[in-house]
Amino acid sequence: MHAILYCFHWRWSTQNRSQTGYINFRPGEPNYNGGREECVEIRTDGTWYDWNCAARQTFSCFSGPSDAKTYHYINQTLSWESAKSYCRTHHTDLAMIENEEENQQVFSTVMNTYVWIGLYRVPWMWSDGTNCYFIPWWSYEPNNLVGSQLCGAVYEGSFKNLQCNALRPFICSVRKQTRIKIKIQSDLDLTNQTIMDNILLQLSASLASAGNTDFNLSWSAPPQKLEPEA
């Protein structure tokens, strides 16, 4: 049986969402070669490639607001993570590129080398959008052996990456729900809909401030008292 993981999305190291969605991958990229290419570099022709984040390369930082970036080419070879730390210490972050003009500014500084920028592949996550912190992969997995193997499956107790259009059996999960009843005693008219709605809003705000996000509140009508028989 198979439980679905996926690995599709790209994100900038600033964690800010791009206002344009601009990308400039070379045709055939990103290819996730060997299942290890999770960071992005820009090359001398201005196109982007995914690459192994542990590779030591020069990199580009930016400083300033998102609508008026200044780019800084750093002629020092570091891994993607170390380059990000350097940029955050000395500038704002690794280069974030949101249009062709900014791409031109960055690759005009590239001198016969590969240069890290701030785009990276979001780690594997479950299909409901939650993060996956532990994946017992088979040896040499994930490897994206035949390309586009961006979904995961369980096979004999361990995980393999597969193409997402592969036909396989599957299992579904049901989120466990806990129902809690709260008895409210008040001098307010609890049959008044406005008062009832305000109480639910206050309870929701209190739960949210405590870090709870997945809940649903509703009123339950009190049981009617049985009248004694005459």
Side-chain angles (χ1 to χ4, degrees):
M1 305 299 284
H2 295 73
I4 302 301
L5 285 167
Y6 70 97
C7 184
F8 283 114
H9 300 295
W10 295 91
R11 184 179 295 163
W12 291 100
S13 56
T14 61
Q15 302 303 308
N16 294 329
R17 184 182 297 275
S18 171
Q19 299 300 309
T20 64
Y22 175 84
I23 58 173
N24 194 40
F25 282 108
R26 184 179 179 85
E29 295 285 336
N31 59 18
Y32 200 38
N33 186 29
R36 296 292 185 271
E37 296 183 341
E38 297 181 336
C39 295
V40 175
E41 63 185 17
I42 186 172
R43 296 193 178 180
T44 52
D45 62 353
T47 58
W48 304 356
Y49 290 68
D50 59 348
W51 206 247
N52 190 319
C53 302
R56 295 175 62 87
Q57 302 183 156
T58 60
F59 52 97
S60 179
C61 306
F62 84 94
S63 58
S66 60
D67 59 348
K69 304 183 190 76
T70 299
Y71 295 101
H72 311 273
Y73 172 69
I74 310 300
N75 190 21
Q76 179 179 349
T77 57
L78 296 174
S79 68
W80 188 89
E81 282 289 343
S82 296
K84 180 181 70 174
S85 297
Y86 179 99
C87 290
R88 289 181 174 180
T89 299
H90 300 281
H91 302 285
T92 298
D93 211 314
L94 275 168
M96 181 180 185
I97 302 172
E98 298 185 89
N99 54 56
E100 182 60 28
E101 180 182 354
E102 292 180 349
N103 198 61
Q104 291 275 349
Q105 292 178 40
V106 173
F107 91 79
S108 65
T109 65
V110 176
M111 297 176 293
N112 298 318
T113 186
Y114 305 156
V115 175
W116 287 131
I117 60 175
L119 197 64
Y120 70 100
R121 188 188 297 273
V122 176
W124 290 82
M125 62 176 57
W126 295 106
S127 53
D128 65 357
T130 56
N131 292 325
C132 186
Y133 297 103
F134 172 71
I135 308 176
W137 294 107
W138 276 86
S139 297
Y140 307 109
E141 294 277 352
N143 56 19
N144 198 30
L145 186 61
V146 297
S148 301
Q149 292 182 316
L150 300 177
C151 290
V154 173
Y155 178 72
E156 295 184 352
S158 295
F159 282 65
K160 298 173 70 70
N161 62 180
L162 297 176
Q163 291 180 306
C164 298
N165 59 0
L167 301 180
R168 295 289 188 273
F170 58 93
I171 57 175
C172 301
S173 63
V174 178
R175 182 172 296 175
K176 183 178 180 180
Q177 295 183 341
T178 301
R179 177 171 293 185
I180 300 175
K181 292 185 178 181
I182 302 174
K183 184 177 181 180
I184 297 177
Q185 293 180 330
S186 173
D187 294 331
L188 299 174
D189 181 6
L190 296 182
T191 63
N192 184 294
Q193 189 62 49
T194 300
I195 293 175
M196 295 169 66
D197 291 343
N198 286 335
I199 291 175
L200 289 185
L201 286 173
Q202 293 179 39
L203 286 172
S204 295
S206 179
L207 288 169
S209 66
N212 301 291
T213 57
D214 189 8
F215 59 85
N216 181 49
L217 298 178
S218 62
W219 286 98
S220 176
Q224 295 182 350
K225 294 182 179 180
L226 296 177
E227 297 293 336
E229 296 182 359

